[in-house]
Amino acid sequence: MWKTVVRRFLIMIPQLFVLSMLIFILAKFMPGDPFTGLITPQTDPARLEELRQQAGFYDPWYVQYWHWVTNMFRGDFGDSYTFKVSVASLIGDRGLNTLWLSLVSVILTYLIAIPLGVIAGRYQNTLRDKTIVLYSFVSYAIPTFVLALIFLYIFGYQLQWFPTSGTVSVGEDPGTLGYFWSKVYHLILPAITYAFLATTSIIQYLRSEIIDAQTQDFVKTARSKGIPMNKVYTRHIFRNSLLPIAAFLGFSITGILGGSVFIETIFGFPGMGQLFIQSIMGRDYSVITALVMLYGFLALLGSLLSDIILSIVDPRIRIE
């Protein structure tokens, strides 16, 4: 398996090269440049031209691309012209917030989806099954930003159960227990919102797997031997139905990392999703290209992670 993992990492190199070329070309087609947002009535045009010369904006495109790629491999993504800090430190701070949000969202998603999917599959066509299917249809139909606004208005402003922005309360000292619980408290509402939307596919897939497993020969054999139905579900149906769900875990984590734009923007959560929107609005090219490159790498890594998880939970499967 480890040979395959190494081979998959090597295959990612040309994929990332093609992705970097596309990102660079598309960035060049974007109107303006990173210094466009600095233009005011008091701005000296000569100073702007000097900054563009220093940044190498008038060099040939292949020279600019080579400088960008080599600097990126050294961990130097340039400086953010909007936030006045290095892109690496900016993404590091925001990325940590998004990582915690992703982990909490994934945990809540599976804690909600697995029990509901099992109940819906085991009690097919009953009131419980129809209620869960209705819930999954509703969560699938509601757009992300609409549900986020509804939850923010009800639980944030009306009931005031959760904070409406930020990652920690003012006045909490880092490293203290109060600081930790404040971070968790600020995560709950955005994570619940994302989990509500992300449970749909897992519920429907698990329900279908359980219904299909009930007709398999190994289940009929177990029942013919007089094994109680509860044990048939726990030892045979449930365990086999969870295998494909485990493979979704890698995609779930990387999907949330790249798909938290609406959630973070609406809840005022300073993560990579909110940073991406702010960078586009401010035409901060250094941040935009670094984030798109990072999202592409995470998508490739999620595919590999899902294969590894599936090969671990199911000994019959080996990625070759």
Side-chain angles (χ1 to χ4, degrees):
M1 184 180 75
W2 294 111
K3 292 182 179 179
T4 304
V5 173
V6 173
R7 185 166 65 247
R8 290 282 295 272
F9 269 110
L10 293 177
I11 294 175
M12 288 170 59
I13 295 176
Q15 293 175 325
L16 290 173
F17 170 73
V18 174
L19 177 64
S20 66
M21 286 292 296
L22 291 175
I23 293 171
F24 181 81
I25 293 172
L26 292 175
K28 286 302 175 184
F29 278 109
M30 292 178 66
D33 56 49
F35 304 103
T36 304
L38 303 178
I39 297 177
T40 65
Q42 294 77 31
T43 302
D44 183 7
R47 176 57 181 164
L48 286 179
E49 287 299 314
E50 182 182 350
L51 291 174
R52 292 188 175 104
Q53 289 284 355
Q54 293 176 357
F57 277 22
Y58 298 116
D59 294 339
W61 70 269
Y62 50 86
V63 175
Q64 296 183 45
Y65 174 76
W66 175 252
H67 287 161
W68 176 61
V69 171
T70 53
N71 289 335
M72 182 175 58
F73 276 106
R74 292 197 298 264
D76 181 12
F77 296 96
D79 295 324
S80 169
Y81 298 98
T82 303
F83 298 93
K84 311 301 181 184
V85 295
S86 67
V87 176
S89 62
L90 183 62
I91 293 179
D93 294 338
R94 297 293 189 95
L96 188 60
N97 292 332
T98 299
L99 178 62
W100 282 111
L101 176 61
S102 301
L103 291 177
V104 175
S105 299
V106 168
I107 292 172
L108 290 177
T109 298
Y110 279 78
L111 286 177
I112 296 171
I114 291 178
L116 293 182
V118 171
I119 293 173
R122 181 170 182 177
Y123 303 101
Q124 182 185 7
N125 295 326
T126 64
L127 180 60
R128 281 176 284 187
D129 175 36
K130 294 177 180 178
T131 303
I132 293 172
V133 170
L134 177 63
Y135 156 77
S136 63
F137 285 162
V138 171
S139 63
Y140 179 79
I142 297 179
T144 303
F145 67 92
V146 172
L147 183 66
L149 289 173
I150 292 174
F151 278 15
L152 182 65
Y153 176 76
I154 295 176
F155 300 108
Y157 290 105
Q158 292 297 317
L159 300 177
Q160 297 184 359
W161 288 355
F162 300 101
T164 57
S165 63
T167 59
V168 66
S169 300
V170 178
E172 296 290 349
D173 296 324
T176 62
L177 185 61
Y179 182 87
F180 171 77
W181 284 115
S182 179
K183 295 277 287 186
V184 174
Y185 186 47
H186 282 73
L187 281 172
I188 293 176
L189 188 57
I192 289 176
T193 304
Y194 193 93
F196 185 89
L197 297 169
T199 54
T200 301
S201 57
I202 299 177
I203 290 174
Q204 292 295 335
Y205 199 92
L206 185 56
R207 176 181 180 273
S208 300
E209 285 291 313
I210 291 177
I211 293 174
D212 181 65
Q214 293 175 4
T215 62
Q216 298 299 316
D217 292 337
F218 66 90
V219 174
K220 295 178 181 178
T221 302
R223 294 183 63 181
S224 65
K225 291 181 179 180
I227 299 177
M229 199 59 192
N230 288 334
K231 291 185 178 181
V232 173
Y233 271 98
T234 55
R235 295 183 180 180
H236 300 281
I237 297 177
F238 181 61
R239 291 176 61 181
N240 284 276
S241 300
L242 276 183
L243 295 179
I245 303 300
F248 289 163
L249 183 60
F251 288 113
S252 298
I253 296 175
T254 56
I256 295 175
L257 286 172
S260 58
V261 174
F262 291 115
I263 298 293
E264 292 181 357
T265 301
I266 292 173
F267 285 100
F269 192 85
M272 290 197 301
Q274 187 191 63
L275 176 63
F276 188 61
I277 294 295
Q278 292 172 341
S279 302
I280 292 176
M281 299 298 293
R283 294 179 179 175
D284 202 335
Y285 290 81
S286 300
V287 180
I288 295 172
T289 53
L291 284 176
V292 175
M293 193 70 192
L294 178 60
Y295 289 152
F297 172 74
L298 291 175
L300 296 175
L301 189 62
S303 176
L304 176 60
L305 183 60
S306 295
D307 289 341
I308 294 174
I309 292 174
L310 186 57
S311 66
I312 292 174
V313 298
D314 190 353
R316 299 169 300 176
I317 298 176
R318 289 291 180 265
I319 52 176
E320 298 293 345

